Amino acid sequence: MCCTTTIENDSTNVHPTPAHFSLNACIFYSCIKQPTPTSETNARRPSSPPNANTMDLRRRLPPRPPSTTFLNQQKAVTDGEDRSPSSTKAGVIDRSPSPVPKASDALPLPLYLTNGIFFTLFFSVAYYLLHRWRDKIRSSTPLHVVTLSELAAIVSLIASFIYLLGFFGIDFVQSFITTARGEEDSFVLEGEVEHHSEPKPRIMDPLPSLALASEEDEEIVKSVVCGSVSSYSLESQLGDCLRAASIRRQALERTTGRSLLGLPLEGLDYDSILGQCCEMPVGYVQIPVGIAGPLLLNGCEYMVPMATTEGCLVASTNRGCKAIFASGGATAILLKDGMTRAPVVRFATAERASQLKFFLEDAINFDTLSVVFNKSSRFGRLQNIQCSIAGKNLYIRFTCSTGDAMGMNMVSKGVQNVLDFLQNDFPDMDVIGISGNFCSDKKPAAVNWIEGRGKSVVCEAVISEEIVKKVLKTTVHGLVELNMLKNLTGSAIAGSLGGFNAHAANIVSAVFIATGQDPAQNIESSHCITMMEAVNNGKDLHISVTMPSIEVGTVGGGTQLASQSACLNLLGVKGASIGSPGSNARLLASVVAGSVLAGELSLMSAIAAGQLVKSHMKYNRSNRDMAAIASTV
């Protein structure tokens, strides 16, 4: 809010007009905080000619409402009688800054010294009393019998505790008062003007962000903010994906009034995600990648990349890999490989829907349908068709191989070809949707648990009794019993669907993110049943994981990004296999299952040995002072 006026000075008085009332209120409120200038002081000040002290005073916040006392004083000044003790004969107002009082000024020592003393006193006295009480309990001495030193310690403990409570209150009140008083007492002198200026809107503090390259970019940002240019069209209009992301980021900050400081912008190839991975990017999220291994699987060693923010996960999986390696390795078997898509179609009657069901399931027609389906891709090959009826609605579940791709788009194109072909013989068929959830994608479903989707893998290993004791710190009997009561019985009581495991989703998600898979497909990919059994006369442990629907690929989607491509290259499954199409994706699925086996083995051992909480306190708890770090950002 701006208050502008002309202050006319003479040798005796100040003569404000009623139109200048708001400024006088501001000036008086500022002056009551200053020492009252004496006439001797005013006499030493040179008198100013009339209209020499004209200035623009802009407040950052509206002034406080004037008090009753001030209104009486203002009335007296208006009538020509200056009764205000803060006014001067020369009409000069002292605007020198006054010190802002702090709540901690009442302390005899500086705040940081007082805090240190009472913090030390509190913890040392508490430690002393705990030891004294422990000794009394051991010697059967009543706790209410206290010595003089214990009494002094109790009083000190209470006093320091009261101070600590007050300290946090002082800190809060002090910051509040400092902010409020600082805003009220701050004036900005804009220069001498002759007329009142219009109130200026409060401008939002500039947000720390990346600077724009040119004035042209600034104009584009303004156009995006006002809506004349669509944010999603920046890449196509500018032809520079990084520049488009920077402009979109600036527009987002100005629209929301919130900073994206800390979200990286540079360092990502935005051209590689255009039309493939993410729309309207404004940066990227950093997720640390750890390495577990070596995982000895089918006679080969693999270093498994895991992208996660959960402490202890990589360390636990790594311990499982160590136990498997020391016991001779694990074996993974691929049971099935086929991606699914299930459209839903509708007919006028259930009888007509049944006719299409019989037609699709007839082996005579399968070859024809395969030719129609397979023309959509070089690698997509129709494997089978499964139908289910709900009244006059027919759900058709197509399953096909997809090479090294995860294959959702591939199977969808083949399904569309078959639906177009069926319209010739069934013109009354109404296609409701290309997906009717009988697939079933990114949802827990019994059809995936039973029939499988993507890659179906079983992985097993035999862990010797010596390794169970030395590496896993538990026993074979304890693991078998825990697996039966937790993974099998406990999950059954919970009504779990495909969740008969300890934490398969943890490992699947970490490997998926590191290798560029669709993280949402972790839902069905984590379907797993973990089995444990004592073998070799009860000395050794046989452990296996059965995962019927691991949905992975080594081409397409996020697998082509630089970081994810590097992780695939680490496993030796980057890109498409030229000699044997589909072998890279199948190997990746086997590595996922082997990693889950290692993770299940280690976590179950930690639970059986009672080490779960201890290990998480060690690896999953930060000792850094995050409040102090946040205050420096």
Side-chain angles (χ1 to χ4, degrees), residues 564-628:
Q564 289 80 349
S565 180
C567 291
L568 289 172
N569 187 57
L570 177 64
L571 291 171
V573 295
K574 177 182 176 181
S577 174
I578 299 177
S580 177
S583 60
N584 281 352
R586 291 191 287 269
L587 177 56
L588 178 58
S590 298
V591 171
V592 171
S595 303
V596 170
L597 182 72
E600 291 287 284
L601 179 62
S602 182
L603 177 60
M604 292 294 289
S605 299
I607 297 175
Q611 298 174 341
L612 179 64
V613 175
K614 180 180 178 181
S615 60
H616 272 273
M617 290 300 101
K618 179 179 179 181
Y619 294 102
N620 203 24
R621 300 284 293 182
S622 174
N623 294 324
R624 302 173 65 190
D625 186 356
M626 302 309 297

Side-chain angles (χ1 to χ4, degrees), residues 524-579:
E524 62 267 38
S525 296
S526 297
H527 283 181
C528 170
I529 182 169
T530 300
M531 303 292 293
M532 293 186 184
E533 180 182 351
V535 295
N536 299 331
N537 297 323
K539 294 183 178 181
D540 301 332
L541 175 72
H542 179 275
I543 178 174
S544 67
V545 292
T546 305
M547 306 178 69
S549 52
I550 302 178
E551 299 166 356
V552 294
T554 59
V555 297
T559 63
Q560 300 185 53
L561 300 180
S563 301
Q564 289 80 349
S565 180
C567 291
L568 289 172
N569 187 57
L570 177 64
L571 291 171
V573 295
K574 177 182 176 181
S577 174
I578 299 177

